[in-house]
Amino acid sequence: MFYREAGQFKTTYQDDQAVFPVLQDKAAVFLLILVAYAVPFVADEYWLQAIFIQFLVFALMAIGLNILMGYAGQVSLGTGAFAAVGAYACYKLTTNIEGMNIIVAILLSGGCAAAVGVVFGLPSLRIKGFYLAVATLAAQFFILWLFNKVGWFYNDNPSGTITAPPRELFGVLITGPSASPEARYIVCLTFLIVFAWFAKNLVRGRIGRNWMAIRDMDIAAEIIGIRPLQTKLLAFAISSFYCGVAGALMIFCWLGSAETEAFDLVNVSFRVLFMIIIGGLGSIGGSIMGAAFIILVPIFLTNFPPMVGLDISTALQKHLEEIIFGVMIVFFLIVEPEGFARLWQILREKLRKWPFPY
Amino acid sequence: MPDGPQTSTGRVIGDVIMQVENVSLSFGGVRALDNVSFDVREHEILAIIGPNGAGKSSMLNCINGFYHPQEGAITYKGKRRDTAKPYEAAEEGIARTFQNIALFKGMSTLDNIMTGRGLKMKKNLFWQALYYGPALKEELEHRAKAEEVIDFLEIEAIRKTPVGRLPYGLQKRVELGRALAAEPDLLLLDEPMAGMNHEEKEDMVRYILDVNDEYGTTIVLIEHDMSVVMDISDRVVVLDYGKKLAAGTPDEVKRNQDVIDAYLGVSHD
Amino acid sequence: MEFLESILVTPFIEIWESPYYFIELVLVGLSTGVLYSLVALGFVLIFKASGMFNFAQGAMVLFAALTLVGLMEHGLPLWAALILSVATMVGLAFLVERFMLRHLVNQEGLILFMATIGLNFILEGTGQLMWGSDVKRLEIGIPDQPFDILGGKVLLNTFDVTAAFIGALLVITLAVFFQKTPMGRALRAVADDHQAALSVGIPLKTIWIAVWTIAGIVALVAGIVWGAKSGVQFSLSLIALKALPVLILGGFTSVPGAIVGGLIIGVGEKVAEGFWGPALGGAIENWFAYMLALAFLVFRPQGLFGEKIIERV
């Protein structure tokens, strides 16, 4: 009864279309955002660096992939490659052009990733489903090979790694080894909130509906006037943009430096895929929940056994992690293919009646 | 008294707006359409009938540009339809429903109907991402139009329901709504009443007649229920094994011997 | 300009000038290709019978090989280990049907595909949990001697030839099985049309178990051959990813396609690496197969032997 919507009638279409039509939801989200901004002042450095910032970066990537797979229905295993494009583009921009504003550089890198995404999305007009996954796999392997082989991408650095040069924003150092975790966290958080909002706006309007139409029945969609190639390529472009920005943030605000391994199939492409499956395909909020879940589980597995007195080797832990992930994915697909997002919806339905049974 | 023939609802039938000329369509070895010709006049209700497999749906698919006939031509308002892309049909003002419902199962009734408005919505990516401002204004405008359609079809109660959960009859109605939302000049209906009970059929007939009456929409409809066909259509085209058997007013067609034979299963050489 | 020349002209000249090296690469490529075909076969079987792209096929190869090696390390003779491994794969097929397939009957392809990704992780984790994750040697007595043909100009290896032979044998067995036995016919019926097959009384559940068992055995053979060649290790499961381009080339539903596709990819990779590799900095094997597949996807999506899909509205 605390979660009642009764009395919250919508008298205009505008109110009806709001993202959070229920007042309690709106309040909850504002509160969450406030708490999120407060986190760096209370959390310790380890948590910020190892968990929170990583979560923010991957949540952004998950939203990107969800736009492509969950909303537009195009299978992609190339998330890592597109993120890598963003990261390397940002690296080249900041090391080659003096005085470029870091935010501009990140956004431009997203643009580069979008362009690459469009190229590898071109086959999507003729092929669907996991056939398309092969095209994105081609992107994944080829792009990482390119970044490994062609010295220009990593400024012929003998170690092959790229390192984020220090950059400031409003006088505060936000990238590079001396930047504080708090500053980096705030940057990533802001990116996430802003772009999540953009994504939400896109998916609830004409563009989102076009994507979902293509996803659900592309032939019918074309017959009612939706142009398949443009719609699909737009999905690839925007999705890759998000992944590219996230990739740039990954190097500049989270890791500081990395090699192509950081963007490979298992570390990124599969991980993000799991995030959106478990979080819920076709849900922005679900992407964020899925990201949180996938990042927290290994932490939990590392810390839980010692807490109950069990001593597990890292190899064993890794295998257990794999098994648990696998089981969870199969479980979710069987029980709730729509993931956390749907579970959350069901929870809210129950909340409406709580504490009464019916 | 206006001149020209009148529809069953009293509206004047105009000139020919679509011409199907000697259309032949094959898939591999199967000849779906064989040298079919007929025309469609503005504001009329034309029924295409025939036994199963006669090529009726294939005909509609050709009009949409989804199939490209190997021979012949389809001209609509002066432009070639059969060689065009499917989305161009929609841009020309042709809307369609499908034999096996082609709704977007992942979306609600309202969203499905809004997709029908998609062609009329112009605000680009930038405004869409901001949402508030011009994009929202456009969204609300078209929402209002969609609600008119929802009103007309009496489906307010299910506007937020995901269409996958709706019973068959309602899904068909939503599909009609999506087609109507596009404010089409030509409406192609592929067995809109299949699988419906008597009441649902009466409702559908009412909607179809209302649409033709109020908006002057030309309607081409494939239908098996003979009483409906005879009642509401102005003219009838009969197909069998891909060939046109007859065309004319319902009465003329009813009395045509070839048609009777086809339906009774008398074989032709 | 020089770069273009090194891609478009020089390699062909080099092939012309060293034909024996070319032949050698082709033969090595063929033997790798047979191995790819083996793995791809497993995919085709499951795809034909259940419309599912079994991403876990690679993990099945790893799991089967690990089981075999693990059992042998515990002292079992080869024949006993083989029988037990086969039994394990049969058991696995039962488990997969009971806990996964049964519950996902009406789901669409993407969901099924993702379920197999989950299965992939489960198998990888369990296999390594049970038998350890270090590289294991697999000695099963396949002779590994270099020898030469054509007057000493072309170097080969008895191992590769044996592998090719085993692969060919397996394929012929499968072909005979599908064409001549009642079970094989039933499988082909299911592949063509689930509903129709059900309506003539073919039990879907049994078919699925049968198919996954066969796929499991194919995985075991592939695992043995690969494992004997380069040791049984985690990277075996990534071979599954290589099978994807093979299937694209050959067509997802075609057994001969899997074979031809595998051979083409095998040969293509080696030749490309040998003659074009130097110009591009090497290691193009990483992506060559995918680019080739991509080209096919654009120009001939159903592959060489697959069925063209006609969509109806």
Side-chain angles (χ1 to χ4, degrees):
Chain A
M1 59 172 237
F2 300 105
Y3 193 65
R4 294 274 252 144
E5 291 166 44
Q8 293 184 33
F9 294 116
K10 306 288 172 261
T11 47
T12 64
Y13 295 138
Q14 177 161 355
D15 288 342
D16 194 42
Q17 313 220 123
V19 177
F20 301 112
V22 180
L23 190 62
Q24 287 90 329
D25 283 345
K26 238 189 249 202
V29 169
F30 271 119
L31 200 61
L32 203 61
I33 295 182
L34 279 176
V35 166
Y37 271 105
V39 158
F41 300 107
V42 292
D44 72 39
E45 216 175 283
Y46 169 72
W47 275 79
L48 276 177
Q49 174 63 22
I51 299 170
F52 288 130
I53 300 181
Q54 186 188 177
F55 157 69
L56 294 171
V57 166
F58 273 94
L60 191 59
M61 242 189 274
I63 292 180
L65 186 61
N66 216 337
I67 286 177
L68 186 58
M69 276 185 71
Y71 286 97
Q74 308 299 309
V75 180
S76 167
L77 293 177
T79 318
F82 302 133
V85 173
Y88 278 77
C90 203
Y91 175 69
K92 292 300 293 181
L93 283 172
T94 50
T95 52
N96 281 24
I97 303 182
E98 276 302 317
M100 175 176 272
N101 179 295
I102 181 69
I103 302 294
V104 171
I106 293 178
L107 292 176
L108 282 177
S109 317
C112 292
V116 172
V118 167
V119 169
F120 281 96
L122 283 170
S124 70
L125 187 58
R126 300 192 107 227
I127 56 182
K128 304 177 193 171
F130 29 76
Y131 294 83
L132 188 59
V134 175
T136 54
L137 266 185
Q140 174 72 33
F141 289 126
F142 179 72
I143 290 178
L144 287 193
W145 172 85
L146 201 63
F147 288 160
N148 256 329
K149 281 286 166 209
V150 179
W152 181 79
F153 287 110
Y154 45 90
N155 288 346
D156 293 300
N157 184 327
S159 67
T161 54
I162 57 169
T163 313
R167 282 286 181 280
E168 295 185 8
L169 187 68
F170 308 131
V172 178
L173 209 58
I174 61 167
T175 72
S178 329
S180 69
E182 290 85 4
R184 294 184 275 125
Y185 171 91
I186 302 260
V187 168
C188 290
L189 179 64
T190 314
F191 263 100
L192 179 64
I193 292 178
V194 168
F195 280 99
W197 185 66
F198 283 149
K200 191 70 190 171
N201 287 341
L202 284 179
V203 303
R204 57 180 169 146
R206 169 181 62 91
I207 294 180
R209 280 193 295 268
N210 284 359
W211 283 335
M212 292 194 273
I214 292 281
R215 172 196 71 192
D216 286 343
M217 200 173 272
D218 54 354
I219 300 172
E222 192 173 0
I223 291 182
I224 67 172
I226 298 174
R227 298 193 175 216
L229 189 60
Q230 282 92 320
T231 312
K232 289 179 187 177
L233 288 184
L234 185 63
F236 268 98
I238 295 186
S239 167
S240 308
F241 178 83
Y242 274 63
C243 293
V245 168
L249 287 175
M250 200 162 131
I251 299 296
F252 279 70
C253 290
W254 178 38
L255 292 173
S257 68
E259 296 176 22
T260 54
E261 272 77 41
F263 297 103
D264 73 21
L265 188 67
V266 180
N267 284 336
V268 176
S269 300
F270 278 175
R271 254 181 122 199
V272 182
L273 182 64
F274 295 144
M275 287 177 192
I276 67 172
I277 298 177
I278 290 187
L281 288 169
S283 160
I284 304 290
S287 317
I288 300 178
M289 287 192 265
F293 186 77
I294 297 288
I295 291 188
L296 285 177
V297 168
I299 310 285
F300 178 74
L301 283 175
T302 329
N303 294 322
F304 179 70
M307 285 202 285
V308 287
L310 285 171
D311 195 15
I312 309 185
S313 72
T314 30
L316 185 61
Q317 182 213 318
K318 184 167 176 299
H319 297 319
L320 276 178
E321 231 178 83
E322 270 188 309
I323 299 179
I324 292 179
F325 265 153
V327 169
M328 260 189 309
I329 288 175
V330 176
F331 177 75
F332 265 96
L333 288 172
I334 292 177
V335 166
E336 189 47 82
E338 298 175 54
F340 275 151
R342 179 93 188 102
L343 287 175
W344 177 238
Q345 257 187 329
I346 297 176
L347 180 66
R348 286 172 59 200
E349 302 276 324
K350 298 220 151 60
L351 265 184
R352 283 207 183 100
K353 306 182 212 116
W354 184 79
F356 303 112
Y358 51 83
Chain B
M1 187 69 182
D3 28 327
Q6 293 204 321
T7 66
S8 45
T9 53
R11 180 169 275 275
V12 177
I13 296 181
D15 296 322
V16 172
I17 53 164
M18 184 162 79
Q19 206 131 0
V20 176
E21 291 167 308
N22 307 106
V23 164
S24 294
L25 175 72
S26 307
F27 297 112
V30 179
R31 208 143 168 85
L33 293 170
D34 196 351
N35 202 11
V36 177
S37 303
F38 61 92
D39 55 37
V40 179
R41 295 175 208 155
E42 207 174 1
H43 308 311
E44 77 171 340
I45 299 181
L46 175 82
I48 301 181
I49 66 175
N52 277 322
K56 314 187 290 289
S57 290
S58 303
M59 188 73 246
L60 290 193
N61 286 340
C62 288
I63 297 175
N64 272 131
F66 181 58
Y67 292 155
H68 297 296
Q70 281 81 9
E71 288 160 34
I74 303 179
T75 329
Y76 175 72
K77 289 189 183 166
K79 292 199 195 150
R80 286 288 292 271
R81 285 272 77 247
D82 50 300
T83 51
K85 292 225 185 314
Y87 52 80
E88 289 170 353
E91 287 167 8
E92 292 292 323
I94 302 179
R96 168 141 185 211
T97 66
F98 299 86
Q99 191 173 7
N100 305 312
I101 302 177
L103 283 175
F104 305 124
K105 294 273 160 72
M107 296 199 260
S108 66
T109 301
L110 178 61
D111 279 337
N112 265 278
I113 295 183
M114 288 290 277
T115 63
R117 299 288 310 166
L119 273 182
K120 306 197 190 293
M121 298 178 73
K122 302 285 180 214
K123 289 291 172 275
N124 62 22
L125 177 64
F126 174 68
W127 294 114
Q128 293 281 343
L130 284 177
Y131 195 73
Y132 294 99
L136 181 58
K137 184 155 164 289
E138 185 185 59
E139 179 89 6
L140 293 176
E141 253 172 52
H142 292 282
R143 169 79 190 260
K145 284 280 175 188
E147 290 285 345
E148 275 177 35
V149 172
I150 291 178
D151 230 9
F152 174 67
L153 293 172
E154 298 161 319
I155 45 178
E156 299 92 333
I158 53 165
R159 64 155 81 75
K160 289 289 175 82
T161 321
V163 296
R165 303 214 195 123
L166 294 173
Y168 186 81
L170 279 178
Q171 284 189 23
K172 278 223 167 265
R173 217 191 283 186
V174 172
E175 217 195 357
L176 179 62
R178 184 180 67 184
L180 292 178
E183 295 178 31
D185 299 318
L186 173 63
L187 187 56
L188 307 172
L189 302 174
D190 197 339
E191 298 196 35
M193 289 166 237
M196 287 189 174
N197 63 33
H198 190 68
E199 269 176 34
E200 288 171 329
K201 278 195 195 180
E202 285 190 341
D203 284 336
M204 276 304 242
V205 167
R206 181 163 44 93
Y207 298 138
I208 294 175
L209 288 178
D210 278 348
V211 164
N212 176 261
D213 192 27
E214 273 185 52
Y215 304 109
T217 315
T218 313
I219 299 183
V220 173
L221 118 114
I222 296 177
E223 188 42 61
H224 278 299
D225 185 330
M226 279 307 127
S227 58
V228 167
V229 169
M230 294 300 152
D231 246 354
I232 70 171
S233 28
D234 301 310
R235 290 192 305 138
V236 177
V237 170
V238 186
L239 295 180
D240 188 24
Y241 287 111
K243 295 199 176 62
K244 184 178 89 171
L245 280 191
T249 65
D251 281 333
E252 288 168 7
V253 163
K254 204 164 48 174
R255 286 179 297 223
N256 181 308
Q257 187 59 39
D258 286 336
V259 173
I260 298 172
D261 286 346
Y263 270 94
L264 287 178
V266 176
S267 66
H268 288 257
D269 295 312
Chain C
M1 201 51 230
E2 195 191 285
F3 180 66
L4 273 178
E5 199 195 302
S6 70
I7 299 189
L8 295 171
V9 179
T10 328
F12 293 104
I13 299 181
E14 282 176 10
I15 294 179
W16 186 253
E17 285 178 350
S18 30
Y20 292 109
Y21 181 49
F22 176 70
I23 295 177
E24 199 177 291
L25 283 180
V26 167
L27 291 173
V28 172
L30 281 175
S31 70
T32 330
V34 167
L35 298 178
Y36 287 151
S37 306
L38 273 179
V39 181
L41 260 180
F43 279 106
V44 169
L45 288 172
I46 294 187
F47 190 79
K48 272 175 93 79
S50 46
M52 197 190 308
F53 179 79
N54 178 21
F55 188 82
Q57 189 68 24
M60 279 164 73
V61 171
L62 177 65
F63 185 78
L66 274 177
T67 310
L68 183 70
V69 173
L71 287 171
M72 282 172 69
E73 275 183 356
H74 275 72
L76 284 170
L78 176 62
W79 61 268
L82 263 178
I83 294 180
L84 270 182
S85 299
V86 170
T88 315
M89 297 315 280
V90 173
L92 180 66
F94 268 93
L95 286 175
V96 166
E97 192 278 328
R98 173 77 180 79
F99 288 107
M100 201 173 96
L101 294 179
R102 195 180 293 188
H103 303 282
L104 292 171
V105 167
N106 268 326
Q107 293 287 8
E108 359 163 326
L110 191 60
I111 305 277
L112 293 170
F113 171 61
M114 300 211 239
T116 61
I117 299 186
L119 182 62
N120 183 59
F121 273 69
I122 297 177
L123 283 177
E124 271 178 8
T126 318
Q128 291 179 68
L129 200 70
M130 281 169 31
W131 307 110
S133 51
D134 27 306
V135 180
K136 297 181 186 309
R137 291 245 43 155
L138 181 56
E139 301 288 349
I140 58 170
I142 298 182
D144 191 358
Q145 303 276 37
F147 67 96
D148 56 57
I149 60 169
L150 295 180
K153 301 276 184 46
V154 178
L155 228 55
L156 282 183
N157 194 303
T158 50
F159 182 88
D160 294 328
V161 174
T162 322
F165 184 68
I166 294 177
L169 199 62
L170 186 63
V171 165
I172 295 176
T173 318
L174 280 173
V176 167
F177 172 76
F178 276 119
Q179 297 295 127
K180 305 284 182 209
T181 66
M183 173 68 94
R185 265 199 297 280
L187 281 175
R188 282 188 291 136
V190 170
D192 267 342
D193 191 333
H194 280 189
Q195 299 272 54
L198 271 176
S199 69
V200 296
I202 298 178
L204 218 48
K205 182 176 120 158
T206 319
I207 296 296
W208 280 343
I209 296 180
V211 165
W212 278 74
T213 307
I214 298 178
I217 295 177
V218 169
L220 181 59
V221 173
I224 292 175
V225 175
W226 272 108
K229 185 174 160 108
S230 30
V232 178
Q233 52 181 308
F234 176 75
S235 60
L236 267 188
S237 61
L238 295 175
I239 293 176
L241 294 173
K242 266 293 165 62
L244 265 176
V246 171
L247 291 166
I248 301 283
L249 252 73
F252 272 75
T253 50
S254 161
V255 168
I259 302 164
V260 173
L263 294 177
I264 294 180
I265 297 271
V267 170
E269 269 185 349
K270 288 285 182 286
V271 169
E273 183 66 49
F275 290 100
W276 276 266
L280 291 168
I284 48 179
E285 276 182 288
N286 284 359
W287 52 263
F288 175 78
Y290 292 96
M291 285 309 198
L292 189 59
L294 192 55
F296 258 82
L297 282 175
V298 175
F299 296 109
R300 198 186 160 87
Q302 71 271 29
L304 294 167
F305 296 92
E307 303 144 8
K308 216 170 163 114
I309 311 162
I310 300 181
E311 308 208 58
R312 309 211 60 162
V313 201

